[in-house]
Each structure stands twice: as structure tokens, then as C-alpha cells.
Amino acid sequence: MTTEVFELSEPDARRRLHELCDILTDCVAGGASVSFMHPFSHADAARFWTGVCDSVRAGGRVLFGIEDGEGLAATAQLLLDTPPNQAHRADVAKMLVHRRARRRGYGAALLKAVEAEAARRGRSLLVLDTISGSNADRMYRRAGWTRVGEIPDFAAMPDGVLAPTTYFYKRV
């Protein structure tokens, strides 16, 4: 089975808003620390994704997706909206994989696509953060990202428990 990563345009993302919301609500329900707290509704997710769509339309980010047999299963974002003195870099954000689709290499495939797009756009440095010790933390290390350090109690998990965050960078 091949894993095909594709870019979602703003109109594509708006058409697939329900699927995007399903991925995000599933990740939050599963305990992922991706900026949101319990309770988290489909309407909350729709507000978030509407803002993402606006940013994609404005050129401030690139949205990637992967489908499985049930529809959209994973997403990641390349954030390009940086200050003038940071036009050489970008952030990787909201690497989301639906729980039904985990352990299939979707995260690694998305990460490669994000890295390639960043390089294509002349971005030579990527930055991201993740919960320390998470599966994502291990994936970034395996993919050759450099750990910068850890900040204790940086982010709250959806249930309110504080967790440490690790920052990574990669030159592309």
C-alpha cells in the first residue's frame, strides 16, 4: 500500500471541512496536546479549520493530507507567515493522524512532504514542538530532527494536566 501525500487547496479544505474536523476532534478526544482542551466540539474544530482555510487562501500556510479507505486520515501544516527577518524558515504545525490510521507511517510521510515543500519554497530551516516523550517526539528524532531542549509544564493536555514540550529544528 502506498501513502500518497497531497496538498489541500483552500477550496478543497473547505469542501472537506467535516473530515478535517473529525481528525482534530479524534486527536483531542484521544488526549493529544494540539492546543485544545476538553470539552472540544465539532463546532470548535470548525472554527479552527476555517481559520486555517483563510490562511491557506492568503498564502500563509500549506495544508497537506493523506487519505485511507475511510477518507481523510491525517494532516500537517507548513506555516510560512514569518517576519521579514525570518523568511528563510518555517514552522511545522498540527501533525494530526486519526487514531484509526496510526502506525501506518502517515506521520513520517507527511513530515517528508512538509520538508520537501519547505525546501522548494526556499525555506532552509524548519522548527516544531511536541510533547516530550510522545510518539511524535520519537518520530521526529528518527527523521533526523535535532532536539533543542525541553520546557517543563509548557502545555496542558486536553484534560488539564501540564506536560513538558520539546523543541526541534531541521535544516532542509
Side-chain angles (χ1 to χ4, degrees), residues 119 144 168:
F168 288 91

Side-chain angles (χ1 to χ4, degrees), residues 1-166:
M1 181 172 115
T2 61
T3 301
E4 183 181 339
V5 178
F6 56 92
E7 185 178 331
L8 284 112
S9 67
E10 180 260 343
D12 294 337
R14 289 193 195 276
R15 276 192 297 277
R16 300 186 81 166
L17 190 64
H18 184 76
E19 292 175 274
L20 290 165
C21 290
D22 285 347
I23 293 170
L24 182 55
T25 55
D26 176 74
C27 288
V28 174
S33 176
V34 290
S35 304
F36 304 103
M37 306 298 291
H38 293 307
F40 185 73
S41 69
H42 196 273
D44 296 327
R47 279 188 291 280
F48 168 75
W49 285 113
T50 298
V52 169
C53 289
D54 293 344
S55 181
V56 168
R57 182 185 66 239
R61 73 183 67 209
V62 181
L63 177 60
F64 297 92
I66 294 178
E67 294 178 329
D68 65 4
E70 296 181 44
L72 201 56
T75 68
Q77 298 174 41
L78 177 64
L79 306 180
L80 300 167
D81 190 12
T82 56
N85 71 334
Q86 297 175 35
H88 64 286
R89 71 166 198 86
D91 292 337
V92 178
K94 298 296 183 275
M95 175 88 64
L96 304 170
V97 179
H98 197 287
R99 286 179 287 177
R100 73 169 190 260
R102 296 204 177 142
R103 300 275 186 216
R104 296 182 191 172
Y106 291 174
L110 284 165
L111 195 55
K112 284 182 184 177
V114 167
E115 292 170 3
E117 183 65 15
R120 187 185 77 73
R121 290 175 179 256
R123 305 297 174 114
S124 59
L125 179 68
L126 293 174
V127 179
L128 63 80
D129 67 274
T130 192
I131 294 299
S132 303
S134 65
N135 288 334
D137 180 320
R138 289 183 287 281
M139 179 189 66
Y140 298 132
R141 291 171 195 251
R142 283 192 308 269
W145 285 67
T146 301
R147 181 182 183 272
V148 176
E150 179 178 285
I151 301 172
D153 297 339
F154 184 79
M157 302 302 286
D159 63 4
V161 174
L162 295 177
T165 295
T166 299

